[in-house]
Amino acid sequence: MTKPLLDTLRATLAGLTVAVTALAAPVHAGERNTSLDYAHATPAQQRLVDDLERRTFDWFWDSADPKTGLVPDHYPGESFSSIAAVGFGLTAYGIGVERGYVTREQAIERTLATLRFFKDAPQNASEDDATGYRGFYYHFLDMKTGKRFDRGVELSSVDTTLLLGGVLFAQSYYDRDTPKEKEIRQLADDIYRAVDWRWMQARPPLISMGWTPGGKFIPADWKGYCEGMLVYVMALGSPTHSVQPAAWKAWTSTNDKTWGTYYGQTFLTFAPLFGHQYSQAWIDFRGIRDDWNREHNLDYFENSRRATYSQRNYAIANPGKWTGYGADVWGLTASNGPGDVEDGGRAFKGYSARGAGLDYVEDDGTLAPTAAGGSIAFAPEIVVPALDTMKQRYGKSIYNRYGFVDAFNPSFHDADATLRTGRLVPSLGWVDTVQLGIDQGPIVLMIENWRSGLVWKVMRRNPYIRKGLERAGFTGGWLDEAPRKP
């Protein structure tokens, strides 16, 4: 396996297994989501967001293989496929229809190609001749063969879940009485029903992070607030292999240990912002509450809004004295970085789950625009100015045909270093040269959720999502209403 892939796999697993912790202080009245909505944004702000949404959509449309629907992990350049990126792509295609980027027929054809591939892909316990097993899929797939990319790649419960986010979006979005849209709905149903969530419960009632033919189940489970929220909702909603509600109770059982105050906000922590964004890109948690929410008098959406403010406050304080940090330049999450090198006595990393919270702090001066962009639905009043400032200040180097590059680091200037990815820009520092699908996804989905609520509205209509939330104990808000079309 190549070193970059090993870096990615190790960093991904590290990001998944980080302990969770929590933060903050009372919400200041002035910071309440007063909130900037798209209709009241300035024309310049609207143009900024419109342009970013279109460019980010184009990344998915241009990078995906039109025959299989496989979306690369990173692009431009040669890459393996990330099944999570496929899930974001399937959702982006519906957004593209609504925005007029592509026709409905174009999106249908791309979606059908994708779903047909995953429905028919080989599922078995072999090391090298499978795309998945027991309804789950390998984290990374070969872009040409569609099979497991490498023996170091795990059968991933969370990445399968993110793929299913797009699958179920397609099931509910393509609702017309035509042969092709009927086929989309049936394929989506078949793919979702095939996932054997109970088998993935190596240590019930929790769900394992994954499995490999050689090593069997990964010795780590989804427990504690993180992107695993969507794993449990999907597993609870299954009509064929559902887990018991005790799984949700077990997942939330450590929440009180990770609830506290960090940089001016009180909330349930997960240091990298992707842990707040991934589940909520598809599910509207505004106004719905589980038992833990009711005890703490907030919903998970409000929790993530506070997490977003906390990250901005951290950047303003800038305890690490990194170059560029401030009120409108901030954002730590899982992303690329310069590499595992030192510069000026300071350590830098390649791909890593960067973040700042009570659970941990990992900050090497690398900023990821998706950390802010993917949080636009939570706190647009601070996100839009951040996107604008980063584009204005660094746009020549970090903003291109497909929107923001994955990450940049104004503190790194070692011209002799062997970079993992990216390039050095003398007047700026390290700048990535690619975008990652799992970082592009939150940007385009959450921009649309902020603008129209499209993804949330579509997913509200999905009976499996609704069932999963109800079995987890969520009540209130839109769950108390009859499903409606967007």
Side-chain angles (χ1 to χ4, degrees):
M1 185 185 296
T2 63
K3 187 177 186 302
L5 178 56
L6 276 171
D7 290 345
T8 300
L9 288 171
R10 288 170 182 154
T12 300
L13 188 56
L16 297 178
T17 55
V18 290
V20 245
T21 278
L23 312 91
V27 182
H28 302 301
E31 293 180 350
R32 186 72 203 161
N33 201 352
T34 50
S35 167
L36 175 69
D37 61 39
Y38 181 82
H40 292 92
T42 68
Q45 289 174 327
Q46 291 180 350
R47 287 192 297 271
L48 167 77
V49 173
D50 292 354
D51 187 68
L52 177 58
E53 183 175 25
R54 175 60 193 263
R55 290 172 186 262
T56 310
F57 166 85
D58 285 346
W59 185 93
F60 287 98
W61 192 257
D62 292 352
S63 70
D65 184 323
K67 293 182 179 178
T68 63
L70 290 176
V71 176
D73 172 74
H74 52 274
Y75 182 82
E78 188 175 346
S79 175
F80 41 86
S81 173
S82 157
I83 61 168
V86 176
F88 283 116
L90 284 167
T91 311
Y93 306 149
I95 294 171
V97 174
E98 298 300 311
R99 289 286 151 212
Y101 306 153
V102 293
T103 66
R104 191 176 183 94
E105 186 60 29
Q106 286 176 306
I108 286 170
E109 291 300 328
R110 180 68 61 85
T111 299
L112 275 175
T114 309
L115 298 183
R116 286 168 181 161
F117 168 80
F118 280 96
K119 172 65 170 60
D120 297 336
Q123 290 254 340
N124 60 64
S126 72
E127 287 277 12
D128 307 308
D129 195 32
T131 298
Y133 183 53
R134 296 277 192 151
F136 292 92
Y137 296 92
Y138 284 103
H139 189 164
F140 298 131
L141 303 176
D142 188 288
M143 282 291 292
K144 296 183 177 71
T145 68
K147 295 178 181 178
R148 184 186 188 193
F149 179 70
D150 188 281
R151 289 197 178 188
V153 176
E154 84 284 13
L155 193 78
S156 173
S157 54
V158 71
D159 291 277
T160 296
T161 293
L162 297 173
L163 168 64
L164 291 174
V167 169
L168 294 187
F169 173 86
Q171 182 183 47
S172 292
Y173 178 74
Y174 299 100
D175 58 358
R176 295 180 183 175
D177 189 22
T178 66
K180 288 182 178 180
E181 298 203 22
K182 285 180 179 178
E183 184 183 357
I184 286 175
R185 294 195 293 274
Q186 186 59 58
L187 287 168
D189 209 56
D190 292 343
I191 291 167
Y192 179 66
R193 285 172 176 266
V195 183
D196 193 346
W197 302 100
R198 293 176 200 162
W199 171 77
M200 193 59 84
Q201 289 184 292
R203 293 159 290 273
L206 295 171
I207 296 174
S208 173
M209 290 188 173
W211 175 91
T212 60
K216 304 305 179 186
F217 288 103
I218 291 174
D221 299 312
W222 292 108
K223 185 176 184 179
Y225 180 73
C226 60
E227 72 275 29
M229 177 188 297
L230 190 60
V231 174
Y232 284 99
V233 172
M234 292 280 190
L236 286 161
S238 171
T240 50
H241 306 287
S242 65
V243 302
Q244 293 301 308
W248 186 266
K249 293 290 187 185
W251 180 72
T252 60
S253 64
T254 61
N255 281 4
D256 282 345
K257 297 178 182 178
T258 56
W259 164 266
T261 296
Y262 192 74
Y263 280 92
Q265 296 292 316
T266 300
F267 63 110
L268 177 61
T269 191
F270 187 80
L273 283 175
F274 78 85
H276 298 271
Q277 296 167 355
Y278 283 2
S279 298
Q280 296 194 58
W282 281 286
I283 299 179
D284 183 1
F285 282 96
R286 295 174 301 174
I288 66 172
R289 299 186 176 192
D290 65 359
D291 288 344
W292 187 87
N293 288 147
R294 285 185 280 273
E295 290 172 7
H296 293 78
N297 194 32
L298 86 170
D299 54 42
Y300 289 112
F301 179 91
E302 167 62 18
N303 190 76
S304 295
R305 191 193 66 78
R306 297 182 188 184
T308 305
Y309 265 96
S310 178
Q311 266 228 14
R312 177 177 180 258
N313 292 344
Y314 171 87
I316 292 170
N318 194 13
K321 306 302 179 188
W322 298 106
T323 302
Y325 282 30
D328 292 326
V329 179
W330 51 270
L332 303 177
T333 193
S335 72
N336 279 339
D340 295 319
V341 295
E342 287 195 5
D343 180 20
R346 308 189 83 171
F348 296 85
K349 293 193 173 186
Y351 186 91
S352 182
R354 296 171 178 83
L358 289 180
D359 44 349
Y360 72 98
V361 176
E362 184 168 307
D363 179 14
D364 64 354
T366 301
L367 294 160
T370 187
S375 299
I376 191 169
F378 301 138
E381 66 279 6
I382 61 172
V383 167
V384 174
L387 296 175
D388 185 38
T389 298
M390 286 189 282
K391 185 178 177 183
Q392 292 293 332
R393 187 177 298 176
Y394 306 116
K396 250 194 219 181
S397 301
I398 71 169
Y399 197 83
N400 60 31
R401 177 178 178 182
Y402 297 119
F404 288 106
V405 297
D406 188 58
F408 63 101
N409 191 319
S411 298
F412 185 88
H413 298 279
D414 185 356
D416 298 322
T418 300
L419 301 177
R420 179 188 176 275
T421 183
R423 62 192 176 99
L424 278 182
V425 176
S427 60
L428 197 169
W430 176 81
V431 172
D432 209 352
T433 50
V434 299
Q435 284 91 357
L436 299 188
I438 58 172
D439 285 347
Q440 291 287 82
I443 294 174
V444 66
L445 269 63
M446 286 302 231
I447 283 177
E448 191 56 42
N449 280 329
W450 175 56
R451 292 182 68 173
S452 71
L454 174 72
V455 183
W456 289 337
K457 291 174 184 177
V458 168
M459 296 301 277
R460 286 181 194 175
R461 293 158 37 204
N462 190 278
Y464 301 134
I465 294 298
R466 189 176 275 266
K467 178 183 176 183
L469 289 167
E470 290 172 347
R471 294 190 74 226
F474 283 91
T475 59
W478 60 267
L479 280 174
D480 292 344
E481 304 169 0
R484 294 180 293 182
K485 287 196 174 187

